[in-house]
Amino acid sequence: MSDGNQTEHLIARLTVLADPRFLPALTDLVADIVTTVGLDKEAARKLDAVLDEIFRNVVEQGYKGDTSQSIDVIVSQRTHSLVVAVEDKGLPFDYRQL
């Protein structure tokens, strides 16, 4: 991937069912991947908490509990940053609720 002056290298693309039973395995795997490429353990622990929140929101709000849907997690590295993206096809998030 490339965006203007920044080059982005795909590290991992994971697809899991939107079933909360898979959440611990997903967050552990992402934490292992990001620490392997240089993120410190405390930052990886915080990332776990963020991924947990995102995953639960997608399952509960975006998919309304439909665990047959899937969630993609993409880990990539740019020149000076690590990017963890979560993609789903659930209902859009209503920012007015914030």
Side-chain angles (χ1 to χ4, degrees):
M1 293 180 196
S2 179
D3 180 35
N5 294 334
Q6 286 202 14
T7 301
E8 189 168 338
H9 299 283
L10 179 66
I11 296 170
R13 181 177 190 95
L14 312 163
T15 301
V16 296
L17 285 176
D19 186 322
R21 296 177 299 170
F22 298 124
L23 179 59
L26 174 67
T27 57
D28 287 350
L29 181 57
V30 171
D32 287 348
I33 290 169
V34 298
T35 55
T36 298
V37 296
L39 198 65
D40 65 71
K41 290 190 185 291
E42 178 61 20
R45 186 190 63 73
K46 291 177 182 176
L47 178 60
D48 269 4
V50 170
L51 285 175
D52 181 86
E53 182 74 20
I54 291 169
F55 190 96
R56 292 184 190 285
N57 281 333
V58 168
V59 172
E60 294 169 8
Q61 304 300 319
Y63 290 144
K64 300 294 185 196
D66 182 358
T67 58
S68 69
Q69 300 297 319
S70 65
I71 297 173
D72 293 317
V73 178
I74 299 96
V75 180
S76 57
Q77 194 163 24
R78 293 183 183 159
T79 306
H80 298 290
S81 61
L82 186 64
V83 178
V84 179
V86 177
E87 296 178 353
D88 66 87
K89 293 184 172 57
L91 296 171
F93 182 74
D94 184 0
Y95 290 97
R96 293 176 292 181
Q97 292 179 7
L98 295 175

